[in-house]
């Protein structure tokens, strides 16, 4: 599990870059893992994992989070 706090106005590509850096650090890799070989999915309000491919998907995720109470605004992202 890697925890990450980012501003809501962050762009998808920047978010992915930060995720890749965190994953590389967490796994103890000297060089960054290529994000082209990674697949990202976020957990929606129904518990389903939705493919996370770009700014449109990031906007959907942020809209979902905006509907939650502030203390519940946690987005679960699965990386494979």
């Amino acid at each position: 599990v890697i925890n990450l706090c980012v501003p809501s106005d962050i762009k998808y590509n920047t978010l992915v870059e930060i995720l890749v850096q965190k994953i590389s650090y967490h796994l103890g890799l000297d060089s960054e893992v290529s994000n082209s070989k990674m697949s990202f999915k976020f957990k929606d309000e129904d518990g389903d994992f939705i493919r996370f491919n770009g700014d449109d998907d990031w906007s959907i995720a942020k809209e979902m989070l905006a509907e939650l109470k502030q203390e519940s605004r946690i987005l679960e992202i699965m990386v494979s």
Side-chain angles (χ1 to χ4, degrees), residues 2-19:
I2 298 173
N3 296 313
L4 181 65
C5 185
V6 297
S8 60
D9 62 348
I10 193 170
K11 297 289 184 193
Y12 173 79
N13 288 334
T14 305
L15 175 63
V16 168
E17 288 173 17
I18 293 170
L19 283 168

Side-chain angles (χ1 to χ4, degrees), residues 34-77:
S34 170
N35 64 3
S36 64
K37 296 182 180 180
M38 291 186 182
S39 171
F40 299 94
K41 295 180 181 180
F42 71 92
K43 192 181 228 182
D44 70 5
E45 62 273 3
D46 297 324
D48 298 322
F49 281 94
I50 308 299
R51 183 164 287 190
F52 202 35
N53 285 323
D55 283 320
D56 290 340
D57 297 328
W58 179 224
S59 293
I60 292 169
K62 290 189 294 185
E63 288 171 11
M64 179 191 75
L65 291 173
E67 295 174 1
L68 300 173
K69 294 179 183 176
Q70 188 163 354
E71 63 272 6
S72 301
R73 291 183 186 163
I74 297 174
L75 184 64
E76 186 175 339
I77 299 174

